[in-house]
Amino acid sequence: MKSRWLRLLAVLLAFTVFAVSCGNDDDGDGVVAGTPPPAAPEEEAPAEEAPAEEAPAEEAPAEQAPAEEPEEPVVVIEGSEEVEEEVTGGVPTGNTGYISGEILTTDCSDGRPTGGDLTIGMFGEIVGWDPTLIQGGASLGGTQMIAIYGALFYEDFGTGQLIPGLAESISTEDNEVFTLKLREGVNFTDGTPLDVDALIWNIEHHQNPDIGSQSRAQADLIASWEKIDDYTIELTATSKNAVFAQIFASRMAWMMSPTTYQAGQDPETGLNSEVNINPVGVGAGPFMLDSWVQDDQAVVVRNPDYFREGCPYLDSVIFKPIIEPPQRYNAFNAGDLDIAYDRHPQNLQDAITKGVNTTSRTDNHGGYWMLNNVKEPFNIRECRVAAAHAIDYETVNEIVYEGLNNMIRSLMRPGSPWTDPEAVLPGFDQDASAAALEECEAQLGGPLEFQTYCTTSPENVLLAETLIAMWSEVGISATANCVEVGEMVGAVFGGESVANPWAIPVGDPDYMYDVYFGDSTEDGVCGENVSSRNWAKACYPEFDASLKQGREGVTFEERYEGYSRFQREFAYQVPVIVTSKGEVGYYWTDEVSGVFQTDAGIILLEFTAKG
């Protein structure tokens, strides 16, 4: 089978490369409009970078959820002193990397070296420093943002527990009304306090529809608030929400100084353009921006007034955007990088084989080929189904990833308690593809033809070429337009893309509410309140109802029922083609210690030391 695909791919390469070069000429004026999601979870980035006919058997079938004690509708995230009592191992040192459930919550005085500079290789460039405008996934800016702004809470990678950061605690008795307490004595780097008034300003800023904040969906989960005192606020959610508190560890984690931001705010747009290129005085994180040469490097230096005693260890951190995985890995091996982010399975496997320090994760959802559900041809379900069934996922794994990736045919990863084993995504089935294609073309009134975006990364180009060859085998005609990441992102955000690579790193399935809520009255029709991150315009009433049920459920069983419904409708609608669940992680030298990543894969550099 592989040899047949390789022969077909070789025949088509010349045609595809020609289409790529022509596409670059035709569409070279793309606009960089921000960064893609997380990816997880969070939240997430383009091309994070199975065919099992049955989804992996899990412990949570739809009819009978796992036998667990019902969860009480109470969330209590206590202050640092109480959390510290539960921490047994402190900060990992040497090559031990991340230890699940362990995180420093008080100070940085464990005797590890202080000072020095650390250089970290990133997947791509951050497009700006204003939390209003950035998605802030791990691959494209999240680590830089948390270095400058800190976070109200951190979400622990191993346990999912919220760990206090700039805030002390958040609690609720009913999953609807929450009490959040900020730390006293924390200041922004302009000297003004991070108090409840500053928190309220940040909420109102993100909720303002004229601003166009990338965090508006999360801010809009806050229906009202009441200031209790200068450091305590009571927040009421728009509805019962089992994961409401998590927004303060993700999109609403980064607080900006109202004083600095308002001083340069444009009265028409409500934005501060200076903050986006030079965020001086606006953050309260462990580092401050020293310099930024876009597409070259950004340098951040220690904040001497950071609230956590002894933190950060480092004098400075240098962020180097290196998009090509081989180039990034070679730079690390040559000693030019101390630590690097990677989602390339060959690089991670080679690092592990050589005994290099590594930490990685496999997300729910994962890497996929996004389809635009409101534009021809993929506004027709049968066209999406035909394209999904035409892909030989295991052969893609061999050709593109040397057999090292996870080509799982389920939305949630193996081992996740949220996985519904009955919700099987379309696998390789050319007969099923041909049958769906016949219905697709009948509704189109002609052949299924489209142009897909891809990035200029050699791996992504190869992936696009391989998919095009497989689509051609069943009679689907596709060409590739491979461009720089920013141009593709602009096309996606602007609704111009019909198909393109993307990725969503998902931990808790509630994250998918922001990506697939369509405010829909009927299939394929998006309402006024469609999620700002639903770039595929996957708008279906059953998506909305099931995601709402999962969000508002009090017990695990109630939430699981909602997410099981969602997975089954997802497998039926095929809004996007999930391709792989590759490992994403970091590798670092023996001089580096304290490599903590959040649940979204963001490195907490305030705890990292070198020497």
Side-chain angles (χ1 to χ4, degrees):
M1 177 67 72
K2 180 180 176 183
S3 61
R4 177 171 67 86
W5 285 128
L6 288 173
R7 287 195 301 270
L8 177 61
L9 179 59
V11 171
L12 293 177
L13 278 182
F15 297 102
T16 307
V17 170
F18 176 75
V20 169
S21 62
C22 291
N24 282 330
D25 290 338
D26 292 341
D27 298 289
D29 296 324
V31 177
V32 176
T35 58
E42 247 150 61
E43 132 25 129
E44 126 135 300
E48 275 281 15
E49 53 144 317
E53 291 304 317
E54 299 180 5
E58 301 295 345
E59 300 178 357
E63 293 77 9
Q64 182 177 355
E68 297 184 2
E69 292 295 323
E71 296 179 359
E72 297 295 329
V74 177
V75 174
V76 180
I77 295 108
E78 299 294 350
S80 60
E81 293 183 1
E82 295 193 23
V83 173
E84 185 181 15
E85 293 176 2
E86 301 176 3
V87 175
T88 58
V91 175
T93 59
N95 64 0
T96 55
Y98 179 86
I99 301 175
S100 176
E102 296 182 350
I103 190 168
L104 186 65
T105 59
T106 52
D107 56 36
C108 294
S109 58
D110 60 359
R112 288 186 294 141
T114 58
D117 308 320
L118 181 139
T119 303
I120 178 169
M122 305 302 293
F123 164 74
E125 178 62 284
I126 189 171
V127 297
W129 300 85
D130 184 348
T132 315
L133 303 174
I134 191 170
Q135 290 295 331
S139 60
L140 292 172
T143 297
Q144 295 95 310
M145 295 296 283
I146 211 168
I148 295 293
Y149 294 95
L152 294 178
F153 296 95
Y154 309 118
E155 190 168 1
D156 184 87
F157 173 48
T159 67
Q161 176 187 9
L162 289 191
I163 303 298
L166 298 172
E168 280 190 355
S169 64
I170 186 167
S171 60
T172 183
E173 295 182 354
D174 59 4
N175 281 344
E176 191 166 7
V177 178
F178 296 76
T179 300
L180 188 152
K181 184 171 179 58
L182 297 168
R183 292 184 187 273
E184 297 187 25
V186 174
N187 290 328
F188 295 103
T189 50
D190 64 3
T192 61
L194 199 175
D195 55 16
V196 165
D197 290 335
L199 175 60
I200 291 173
W201 179 86
N202 276 269
I203 294 171
E204 292 177 332
H205 176 74
H206 289 299
Q207 286 185 340
N208 185 343
D210 297 330
I211 295 290
S213 171
Q214 292 291 333
S215 300
R216 184 183 171 191
Q218 288 72 31
D220 281 347
L221 295 175
I222 305 170
S224 62
W225 52 82
E226 179 182 353
K227 178 179 177 180
I228 306 302
D229 58 41
D230 285 346
Y231 294 95
T232 308
I233 187 171
E234 185 176 271
L235 301 160
T236 301
T238 52
S239 64
K240 288 186 180 296
N241 188 331
V243 291
F244 175 84
Q246 293 179 3
I247 68 173
F248 298 105
S250 57
R251 303 296 307 145
M252 295 301 295
W254 308 321
M255 295 291 103
M256 299 181 287
S257 164
T259 302
T260 293
Y261 201 94
Q262 288 176 308
Q265 205 166 11
D266 186 303
E268 294 185 4
T269 66
L271 299 173
N272 185 323
S273 59
E274 182 64 23
V275 163
N276 203 41
I277 60 174
N278 190 28
V280 173
V282 73
F287 295 92
M288 304 178 295
L289 185 67
D290 179 68
S291 62
W292 179 37
V293 179
Q294 194 164 14
D295 298 321
D296 181 21
Q297 68 178 30
V299 180
V300 299
V301 296
R302 174 190 285 122
N303 175 6
D305 299 318
Y306 187 56
F307 83 90
R308 204 185 295 277
E309 184 180 352
C311 291
Y313 289 86
L314 298 162
D315 287 331
S316 68
V317 177
I318 303 167
F319 295 97
K320 300 284 291 185
I322 307 175
I323 293 177
E324 303 298 343
Q327 183 182 351
R328 192 184 320 121
Y329 191 47
N330 290 340
F332 174 80
N333 287 326
D336 297 330
L337 302 175
D338 300 296
I339 182 171
Y341 171 93
D342 213 317
R343 57 195 186 201
H344 193 270
Q346 289 93 328
N347 290 352
L348 288 168
Q349 187 59 51
D350 187 71
I352 292 170
T353 300
K354 292 178 178 177
V356 175
N357 310 310
T358 60
T359 181
S360 63
R361 73 190 193 282
T362 301
D363 295 306
N364 294 314
H365 204 296
Y368 61 102
W369 219 261
M370 186 188 296
L371 307 176
N372 191 322
N373 285 223
V374 298
K375 295 183 70 172
E376 284 192 355
F378 295 122
N379 60 336
I380 298 172
R381 172 185 170 272
E382 287 74 16
C383 299
R384 304 192 298 269
V385 172
H389 274 307
I391 299 171
D392 184 340
Y393 297 90
E394 287 301 335
T395 300
V396 168
N397 193 14
E398 293 296 326
I399 293 175
V400 182
Y401 306 112
E402 299 179 9
L404 297 174
N405 224 329
N406 301 306
M407 314 300 281
I408 307 299
R409 303 317 300 147
S410 62
L411 187 61
M412 311 304 278
R413 68 174 179 262
S416 169
W418 303 107
T419 301
D420 180 349
E422 301 299 320
V424 182
L425 300 178
F428 178 48
D429 187 334
Q430 289 187 323
D431 290 338
S433 178
L437 181 61
E438 184 176 354
E439 295 185 42
C440 158
E441 293 183 335
Q443 295 186 58
L444 279 175
L448 174 51
E449 301 175 339
F450 65 95
Q451 182 185 72
T452 182
Y453 275 95
C454 54
T455 71
T456 56
S457 160
E459 179 183 284
N460 199 244
V461 171
L462 178 59
L463 176 58
E465 292 169 342
T466 303
L467 296 181
I468 287 171
M470 292 178 174
W471 286 326
S472 176
E473 182 78 357
V474 298
I476 298 172
S477 177
T479 57
N481 179 18
C482 293
V483 298
E484 296 299 326
V485 173
E487 183 176 341
M488 185 186 77
V489 169
V492 172
F493 286 3
E496 301 166 19
S497 177
V498 171
N500 58 272
W502 210 259
I504 298 177
V506 172
D508 189 283
D510 181 75
Y511 185 90
M512 291 187 290
Y513 190 104
D514 296 332
V515 181
Y516 292 111
F517 182 80
D519 190 28
S520 312
T521 56
E522 59 182 290
D523 286 356
V525 178
C526 300
E528 292 184 0
N529 296 314
V530 59
S531 170
S532 63
R533 305 187 76 185
N534 189 346
W535 297 299
K537 294 298 182 285
C539 300
Y540 305 99
E542 178 64 5
F543 279 15
D544 298 347
S546 58
L547 290 169
K548 190 171 186 289
Q549 179 182 354
R551 168 168 284 186
E552 296 181 1
V554 173
T555 65
F556 172 83
E557 289 79 4
E558 291 171 346
R559 297 191 69 209
Y560 178 84
E561 182 182 353
Y563 294 127
S564 173
R565 287 176 59 191
F566 176 74
Q567 290 173 73
R568 294 185 181 208
E569 184 68 7
F570 188 99
Y572 171 76
Q573 293 290 356
V574 196
V576 303
I577 303 175
V578 176
T579 53
S580 65
K581 290 176 171 54
E583 284 190 79
V584 181
Y586 297 84
Y587 38 81
W588 62 94
T589 68
D590 288 337
E591 283 191 298
V592 176
S593 61
V595 178
F596 286 105
Q597 61 173 319
T598 70
D599 188 61
I602 293 171
I603 291 291
L604 303 179
L605 290 169
E606 65 188 279
F607 303 128
T608 303
K610 180 182 175 183

